PDB file of all heavy atoms in Angstrom:
ATOM      1  N   ARG A 117      28.077  27.762  29.083  1.00 97.00           N
ATOM      2  CA  ARG A 117      29.178  26.941  28.552  1.00 97.00           C
ATOM      3  C   ARG A 117      29.394  27.123  27.056  1.00 97.00           C
ATOM      4  O   ARG A 117      30.361  26.625  26.495  1.00 97.00           O
ATOM      5  CB  ARG A 117      28.913  25.443  28.836  1.00 97.00           C
ATOM      6  CG  ARG A 117      28.988  25.097  30.317  1.00 97.00           C
ATOM      7  CD  ARG A 117      28.866  23.612  30.555  1.00 97.00           C
ATOM      8  NE  ARG A 117      30.058  22.854  30.125  1.00 97.00           N
ATOM      9  CZ  ARG A 117      30.180  21.537  30.216  1.00 97.00           C
ATOM     10  NH1 ARG A 117      29.194  20.831  30.727  1.00 97.00           N
ATOM     11  NH2 ARG A 117      31.266  20.931  29.805  1.00 97.00           N
ATOM     12  N   LEU A 118      28.483  27.822  26.400  1.00 98.00           N
ATOM     13  CA  LEU A 118      28.622  28.004  24.945  1.00 98.00           C
ATOM     14  C   LEU A 118      29.752  28.976  24.625  1.00 98.00           C
ATOM     15  O   LEU A 118      29.958  29.951  25.357  1.00 98.00           O
ATOM     16  CB  LEU A 118      27.323  28.580  24.360  1.00 98.00           C
ATOM     17  CG  LEU A 118      26.079  27.694  24.392  1.00 98.00           C
ATOM     18  CD1 LEU A 118      24.889  28.456  23.828  1.00 98.00           C
ATOM     19  CD2 LEU A 118      26.295  26.415  23.612  1.00 98.00           C
ATOM     20  N   PRO A 119      30.475  28.757  23.507  1.00 97.00           N
ATOM     21  CA  PRO A 119      31.455  29.748  23.077  1.00 97.00           C
ATOM     22  C   PRO A 119      30.772  31.097  22.810  1.00 97.00           C
ATOM     23  O   PRO A 119      29.561  31.142  22.538  1.00 97.00           O
ATOM     24  CB  PRO A 119      32.010  29.152  21.769  1.00 97.00           C
ATOM     25  CG  PRO A 119      31.644  27.701  21.801  1.00 97.00           C
ATOM     26  CD  PRO A 119      30.393  27.583  22.625  1.00 97.00           C
ATOM     27  N   ALA A 120      31.550  32.181  22.864  1.00 97.00           N
ATOM     28  CA  ALA A 120      30.980  33.539  22.802  1.00 97.00           C
ATOM     29  C   ALA A 120      30.104  33.765  21.563  1.00 97.00           C
ATOM     30  O   ALA A 120      29.015  34.349  21.667  1.00 97.00           O
ATOM     31  CB  ALA A 120      32.101  34.567  22.850  1.00 97.00           C
ATOM     32  N   ALA A 121      30.541  33.295  20.387  1.00 96.00           N
ATOM     33  CA  ALA A 121      29.783  33.554  19.154  1.00 96.00           C
ATOM     34  C   ALA A 121      28.403  32.903  19.213  1.00 96.00           C
ATOM     35  O   ALA A 121      27.392  33.503  18.824  1.00 96.00           O
ATOM     36  CB  ALA A 121      30.559  33.034  17.942  1.00 96.00           C
ATOM     37  N   GLN A 122      28.384  31.662  19.717  1.00 97.00           N
ATOM     38  CA  GLN A 122      27.108  30.937  19.798  1.00 97.00           C
ATOM     39  C   GLN A 122      26.209  31.579  20.857  1.00 97.00           C
ATOM     40  O   GLN A 122      25.010  31.708  20.670  1.00 97.00           O
ATOM     41  CB  GLN A 122      27.349  29.465  20.146  1.00 97.00           C
ATOM     42  CG  GLN A 122      27.744  28.600  18.972  1.00 97.00           C
ATOM     43  CD  GLN A 122      29.151  28.875  18.471  1.00 97.00           C
ATOM     44  OE1 GLN A 122      29.997  29.371  19.212  1.00 97.00           O
ATOM     45  NE2 GLN A 122      29.419  28.549  17.220  1.00 97.00           N
ATOM     46  N   ARG A 123      26.832  31.987  21.952  1.00 97.00           N
ATOM     47  CA  ARG A 123      26.069  32.618  23.032  1.00 97.00           C
ATOM     48  C   ARG A 123      25.380  33.895  22.512  1.00 97.00           C
ATOM     49  O   ARG A 123      24.200  34.145  22.767  1.00 97.00           O
ATOM     50  CB  ARG A 123      27.033  32.928  24.183  1.00 97.00           C
ATOM     51  CG  ARG A 123      26.427  33.468  25.473  1.00 97.00           C
ATOM     52  CD  ARG A 123      25.524  32.444  26.100  1.00 97.00           C
ATOM     53  NE  ARG A 123      24.302  33.095  26.561  1.00 97.00           N
ATOM     54  CZ  ARG A 123      23.985  33.275  27.826  1.00 97.00           C
ATOM     55  NH1 ARG A 123      24.764  32.810  28.765  1.00 97.00           N
ATOM     56  NH2 ARG A 123      22.870  33.872  28.166  1.00 97.00           N
ATOM     57  N   ALA A 124      26.150  34.660  21.734  1.00 97.00           N
ATOM     58  CA  ALA A 124      25.607  35.911  21.189  1.00 97.00           C
ATOM     59  C   ALA A 124      24.463  35.614  20.210  1.00 97.00           C
ATOM     60  O   ALA A 124      23.421  36.288  20.227  1.00 97.00           O
ATOM     61  CB  ALA A 124      26.711  36.700  20.491  1.00 97.00           C
ATOM     62  N   ALA A 125      24.637  34.584  19.364  1.00 97.00           N
ATOM     63  CA  ALA A 125      23.599  34.226  18.392  1.00 97.00           C
ATOM     64  C   ALA A 125      22.326  33.767  19.111  1.00 97.00           C
ATOM     65  O   ALA A 125      21.204  34.135  18.724  1.00 97.00           O
ATOM     66  CB  ALA A 125      24.117  33.127  17.465  1.00 97.00           C
ATOM     67  N   VAL A 126      22.514  32.981  20.165  1.00 97.00           N
ATOM     68  CA  VAL A 126      21.383  32.482  20.955  1.00 97.00           C
ATOM     69  C   VAL A 126      20.614  33.656  21.571  1.00 97.00           C
ATOM     70  O   VAL A 126      19.386  33.740  21.486  1.00 97.00           O
ATOM     71  CB  VAL A 126      21.915  31.512  22.054  1.00 97.00           C
ATOM     72  CG1 VAL A 126      20.925  31.341  23.186  1.00 97.00           C
ATOM     73  CG2 VAL A 126      22.287  30.165  21.445  1.00 97.00           C
ATOM     74  N   ASP A 127      21.352  34.593  22.167  1.00 97.00           N
ATOM     75  CA  ASP A 127      20.704  35.752  22.797  1.00 97.00           C
ATOM     76  C   ASP A 127      19.939  36.561  21.753  1.00 97.00           C
ATOM     77  O   ASP A 127      18.826  37.027  22.000  1.00 97.00           O
ATOM     78  CB  ASP A 127      21.748  36.652  23.477  1.00 97.00           C
ATOM     79  CG  ASP A 127      22.315  36.001  24.740  1.00 97.00           C
ATOM     80  OD1 ASP A 127      21.714  35.014  25.213  1.00 97.00           O
ATOM     81  OD2 ASP A 127      23.364  36.455  25.236  1.00 97.00           O
ATOM     82  N   ARG A 128      20.557  36.682  20.557  1.00 98.00           N
ATOM     83  CA  ARG A 128      19.957  37.489  19.491  1.00 98.00           C
ATOM     84  C   ARG A 128      18.612  36.897  19.035  1.00 98.00           C
ATOM     85  O   ARG A 128      17.608  37.596  18.953  1.00 98.00           O
ATOM     86  CB  ARG A 128      20.934  37.542  18.314  1.00 98.00           C
ATOM     87  CG  ARG A 128      20.808  38.761  17.437  1.00 98.00           C
ATOM     88  CD  ARG A 128      21.991  38.919  16.485  1.00 98.00           C
ATOM     89  NE  ARG A 128      22.300  37.713  15.726  1.00 98.00           N
ATOM     90  CZ  ARG A 128      23.477  37.086  15.746  1.00 98.00           C
ATOM     91  NH1 ARG A 128      24.460  37.533  16.512  1.00 98.00           N
ATOM     92  NH2 ARG A 128      23.682  35.997  15.034  1.00 98.00           N
ATOM     93  N   VAL A 129      18.607  35.585  18.765  1.00 98.00           N
ATOM     94  CA  VAL A 129      17.361  34.987  18.247  1.00 98.00           C
ATOM     95  C   VAL A 129      16.279  34.966  19.326  1.00 98.00           C
ATOM     96  O   VAL A 129      15.093  35.151  19.027  1.00 98.00           O
ATOM     97  CB  VAL A 129      17.600  33.580  17.633  1.00 98.00           C
ATOM     98  CG1 VAL A 129      17.933  32.542  18.672  1.00 98.00           C
ATOM     99  CG2 VAL A 129      16.412  33.148  16.802  1.00 98.00           C
ATOM    100  N   MET A 130      16.676  34.796  20.578  1.00 98.00           N
ATOM    101  CA  MET A 130      15.665  34.790  21.643  1.00 98.00           C
ATOM    102  C   MET A 130      15.023  36.176  21.755  1.00 98.00           C
ATOM    103  O   MET A 130      13.815  36.303  21.918  1.00 98.00           O
ATOM    104  CB  MET A 130      16.282  34.361  22.978  1.00 98.00           C
ATOM    105  CG  MET A 130      16.600  32.877  23.026  1.00 98.00           C
ATOM    106  SD  MET A 130      16.584  32.162  24.665  1.00 98.00           S
ATOM    107  CE  MET A 130      18.067  32.793  25.344  1.00 98.00           C
ATOM    108  N   LYS A 131      15.866  37.206  21.637  1.00 98.00           N
ATOM    109  CA  LYS A 131      15.365  38.581  21.726  1.00 98.00           C
ATOM    110  C   LYS A 131      14.477  38.901  20.517  1.00 98.00           C
ATOM    111  O   LYS A 131      13.377  39.433  20.657  1.00 98.00           O
ATOM    112  CB  LYS A 131      16.574  39.528  21.755  1.00 98.00           C
ATOM    113  CG  LYS A 131      16.306  40.817  22.469  1.00 98.00           C
ATOM    114  CD  LYS A 131      17.605  41.548  22.737  1.00 98.00           C
ATOM    115  CE  LYS A 131      17.282  43.025  22.953  1.00 98.00           C
ATOM    116  NZ  LYS A 131      18.358  43.895  22.634  1.00 98.00           N
TER     117      LYS A 131
END
Side-chain angles (χ1 to χ4, degrees):
R117 292 186 71 181
L118 293 178
Q122 279 71 24
R123 186 64 223 250
V126 160
D127 288 346
R128 207 167 51 238
V129 70
M130 287 207 286
K131 207 167 159 206

